[in-house]
Amino acid sequence: MTLAEGILAGDQRAIARLITIVENRPREAIPALQALYPHTGKALVVGITGPPGSGKSTLVGRLTKRLRQLGKTVGIIAVDPTSPFTGGAILGDRIRMQDLATDPGVYIRSMGTRGSLGGLAKATHNVIKILDAAGKDYIFVETVGVGQSEVDIVKTADTTLVVLVPGLGDDIQTIKAGILEIADIFVVNKADRQDAGRVVAELEMMLDLSSKEVEWRPPVYSTVATSGKGIDAVVEGIEQHIHYLCQNSKLEARRRERYRAEIMNIVKEGIITQLLDFWSVGGKLETLLAEVAAREKDPYAAAWEIMQTFTGNGKGGS
Amino acid sequence: MFAKEQVDSIREKKRKWEETTLKKVLDRFPERSQEFGTLSDLPVERVYTPADVADLGYERDLGMPGEYPYTRGIQPTMYRGRFWTMRQYAGFGTAEESNKRYKYLLEQGQTGLSVAFDLPTQIGLDSDHSLAEGEVGKVGVAIDSLEDMETLFAGIPLDKVSTSMTINAPAAVLLAMYIAVAEKQGVAPGKLAGTIQNDILKEYVARGTYIFPPQPSMRLITDTFAYCSTNLPNWNTISISGYHIREAGCTAVQEVAFTLADGIAYVDAAVKAGLDIDKFAPRLSFFFNAHMDLLEEVAKFRAARRLWARIMKERFGAKNPKSFMLRFHTQTAGCALTAQQPDNNVVRVTLQALAAVLGGTQSLHTNSRDEALALPSEDSVRIALRTQQIIAHESGVANTVDPLAGSYYVENLTAHIEKKAMEYIEKIDALGGAVKAIEQGFIQREIQESAYEYQKSVESGKRIVVGVNKYQLEAEEAPKDLLKVDPAVGRYQKEKLSRLRATRDPGAVELALKRLKETAQSDANLLPPIIEAAKVYATLGEICGVLREVFGEYETSVIF
Amino acid sequence: MKERPIRVLIAKPGLDGHDRGAKVLARALRDAGMEVIYTGLRQTPEQIVGTGIQEDVDVIGLSILSGAHTHLFPRVMELLRERGANDILVIGGGIIPEDDIPALKKEGIAEIFTPGTTTQAVIDYIKENVRQG
Ligand code: B12
Ligand SMILES: Nc1nc2c(ncn2[C@@H]2O[C@H](COP(=O)(O)OP(=O)(O)OP(=O)(O)O)[C@@H](O)[C@H]2O)c(=O)[nH]1
Ligand SMILES: [Mg+2]
């Protein structure tokens, strides 16, 4: 059985293996990803972002349990930061979801960012596809949660949940611009703490004031993820948002944007790899660099030369 | 402690000495290291003089033994009156086996009991629970019901011994069983002396046998304070523990700071629950570690005593002098003991025990030389106990109170530790107190950081551990005569439990558990229904099960 | 291109609360460039094996200091075999009496590390013995 066949049959080890390949040697994964592609597009991808320690993982665990009660299967991708110095990482999100580790209807995978800066790992979108093809109804993607640079998640998820907690102080002010843009749903977690009500009120006010004309006004839920309070409502909120997206064919539009970005990325990377592969042969690139260093050529001229490679005008054209 | 002119002149003298006498020697014989520090990395100077204790006021900061701020000890005569209580922590296997070990220890001259429970018991699970598989009786005695507790103390008169029980999350349940056993022996609760550890906060950060979330756990604790202050006046209702935090890897300063911060949280909770501070505070007790750096440890104990007295008086406005007194148990540092050349551990334990005695401990457990290999064998425990007896009877250090007072170094270090610990406590206050600091992972992160630093310093050779990274043996002799727990305990305990379940009065159990549940849902004191349930042989797992249902379970945070 | 990071699951099976060693080790492995999944206390063998498989780890490291290794280590190995995942390198550590080690190795635990081991020794061992590919 090929990996792709194994994945379509829901084999956990096959899923696990292909994810590893996608992370480590992405080019090798291409045939399998191609084989899986026709089977994707059914899962709903829910992004979860918010400040560190706000309860994202606990929340994902609870939401998953609720969805399981409703008979849905769930994939979870939890991203934690990789140390830029050592390349190592401690992936600790799972600890909040360990009671799901033995549920065959749930697949949890932890990922290090491995140098990516936008809050996800480079391979995350492919991991989503793998879990999608494996038949998961919902896929949660938990970002690293650094607050400011969570740009990737909106480009990846159908629905984005932003988690906030009381006691962030002025932080809410500083991140507010960013979060208003990306949130489809707000969750004020740790509602067992003082001031949760105030955060909810503050958010509502911000939403009222936001001049952006909106068809979907992000709802604000308050939850206590540790006890499960308020979780059912969030699940309903997610379903409503998906419903809204489907009705207005927004889902198609959102996903189309995603395909565009993905294809562009593949193209960019492909071109760069090809060019550099070509230029690395026989020390051509080094020679060019030496010329730039010696001020014989400027960087623009050098880059132009590289870009001309396959159009026949370059020095090394074939 | 010295006049200003005198201090100035000493400073001047030291400066001259550095330029002349010292310099000549340093030029020819440089010191072993550029910098010296304590085990906890506090800076250590070459030599201390009165100038280093210039800010110290004798009456304000030291005082007389048995008087505020109790730096010199909580009793006026200390060990001239009575030695510390020699209390070896023990327990394994079945209640029968542990009962035998206790009787042996009492015969050997031990003066108090200290019960170690197995992990299922500490986590409120019966021996027949699936998670208890393979763990029953392994690291302590298995107690499922009052029946086991009766066996554990058979033939031991509970009005004559004091018993310390290392039990936390289900402390109220084990105390209830103890009260019930005493009643069967004809001993009234008022006559019982002993301690339950009952310190949940350090379980969250260092010891790991938590069950319920912080809020209901704190309630169980304050309910116990309230119940005992009227019914068991001689019972130590809590042992606020730095021992485990230190063993988890923190420094001496952190040990003092985190322990006292936990103490503050308990006092706050009890005061908030409407208890009178001067009624419950005298029954608070503490538990510290005695590590390898002898003088640092002595300073630590003295600093903790002084700081707690000040906190109780100044922060909480307590009036009863007994509320000011930090009474503490000490255990020698297990983490300093090595699997390599285990006999060396006897020497380490001697130094650690000496620190505890010089620091004025009220009771002491000395670890055994096979600490890093297995539960202690009977021979090893005897040597550990003898170590205490030799210090008590032969070394002479017990003949005067607080013998290291007035040492420029020790006094300076005492003040330094107090100050640094206070800075931590202020930081924790700013986070909203110990409970909040734990929820945010602050304390856990600090401990882990120190533990990692320590490990790295041993691996780099910066710190020497004899027999481990220096003076190793080519071939280590295989350790012999290690204690082995009979694996049949699990089965035995399960059978005993199923017999009990078949023979007790099921109606009474059901009723008692129903009452317990109702009480848990109200805010009435939990102790009476727990005692009632224990008496009708409801099991530990059943009682904790009811509480789990009402209170939920704690979710740990792991922070790196 | 940089070498791919080795993935390790550090697990605490059973009720044991001794986590100082496991956490020190987790950090040391991270600082050696590995991706470490740490799942906290009180894990059942089923959870550990499920996690190891989903995370496709190269190594499972089991830490027990409470004496329950004789029951729990073999159980983990049995489940790994059942699920066809016994190609994962499994190592263990903690308070493991010498007498118990041969039986554990027979079960398929590749190596046991006891007190006094340096984290560097563990790192070296993993790097040398981890499956290729
Ligand atoms: C520190 C300690 C504690 C601390 C734990 C703090 C913490 N958060 O970890 C505290 C004080 C809380 C504690 C409590 C108890 N302890 Co204790 N504790 C120790 C002690 C003294 C040192 C352990 C330690 O942390 N060493 C430092 C770390 C860095 O080393 P390490 O864990 O051994 O790890 C190293 C190696 O073993 C190895 N390693 C470990 N795990 C792994 C995993 C892998 C994959 C690899 C490759 C390597 C590896 O590499 C590490 C680096 O060198 C030992 C005795 C000893 N000296 O070893 C007793 C000891 C483990 N404890 C013991 C007992 C009984 C208990 C209690 C159960 C007592 C009771 N009845 O209540 C309690 C309850 C704890 C619980 N919840 O489970 C016994 C266990 C007996 C047995 N197995 O037969 C011991 C052996 C002491 C004894 N002789 O009685 N303890
Ligand atoms: N009081 C309270 N604590 C909570 C709640 N939800 C989560 N927590 C606690 O908050 C801490 C962090 O929770 P996580 O779920 O790990 O948070 P996270 O956002 O995933 O954290 P990172 O992934 O590290 O950014 C844990 O100790 C949780 O138990 C809640 O509703 N109330
Ligand atoms: Mg998380």
Side-chain angles (χ1 to χ4, degrees), chain B residues 146-160:
Chain B
L146 176 58
E147 192 184 18
D148 296 325
M149 205 69 162
E150 287 162 3
T151 313
L152 188 65
F153 293 107
I156 300 174
L158 297 191
D159 51 348
K160 300 265 164 29

Side-chain angles (χ1 to χ4, degrees), chain A residues 7 10-20 107 130-131 134:
Chain A
I7 289 164
D11 173 20
Q12 293 219 348
R13 278 223 103 187
I15 300 173
R17 280 289 156 76
L18 186 59
I19 295 177
T20 302
Y107 190 103
I130 296 169
L131 293 176

